[in-house]
Amino acid sequence: QVQLVESGGGLVQAGGSLRLSCAASGRIFSINAMGWYRQAPGKQRELVAIATSGGSANTADSVKGRFTISRDNAKNTVYLQMNSLKPEDTAVYYCAAEVEGYNYWGQGTQVTVSS
């Protein structure tokens, strides 16, 4: 079993910053990819950013230049630094990880950006 625990969400004014963290624990030998998705009310879940164990990363066009994903492989932790936040970034943010061929999800953390 693998657990993903997120932290760092909250309420922030437009233009502000937040940093999300997600730590994986459990029976883990290796984590291939870790990343973040988000789901706004009435919308489908969408990829925000993902980082592989090899060091490559992909970021959605909607957040490119504002959000940065990083990983600490020694701690099985992934971070999402979110700068210049906009009201349209408001969503529940979910951590995801691919661990030895299986996909796992965190419980989600709410990010609300006020205008």
Side-chain angles (χ1 to χ4, degrees):
Q1 282 284 33
V2 174
Q3 296 81 39
L4 302 179
V5 178
E6 301 128 331
S7 60
L11 172 65
V12 65
Q13 288 188 333
S17 298
L18 284 173
R19 188 190 193 212
L20 305 183
S21 300
C22 171
S25 62
R27 296 175 62 87
I28 299 172
F29 178 71
S30 65
I31 302 177
N32 181 26
M34 293 188 80
W36 295 93
Y37 290 73
R38 68 184 182 185
Q39 188 166 19
K43 295 187 177 181
Q44 289 188 332
R45 192 172 296 189
E46 62 176 0
L47 174 67
V48 177
I50 193 163
T52 69
S53 58
S56 62
N58 288 317
T59 306
D61 288 343
S62 59
V63 304
K64 200 163 289 185
R66 299 187 296 121
F67 291 11
T68 303
I69 189 170
S70 61
R71 279 180 65 169
D72 185 333
N73 292 328
K75 296 182 179 179
N76 290 333
T77 299
V78 65
Y79 306 95
L80 186 68
Q81 178 66 43
M82 305 185 293
N83 299 327
S84 302
L85 282 159
K86 303 176 181 180
E88 51 263 44
D89 295 318
T90 295
V92 178
Y93 284 69
Y94 296 91
C95 176
E98 181 195 331
V99 182
E100 295 150 33
Y102 293 90
N103 296 322
Y104 296 90
W105 292 90
Q107 80 283 359
T109 185
Q110 178 70 46
V111 171
T112 303
V113 184
S114 63
S115 57

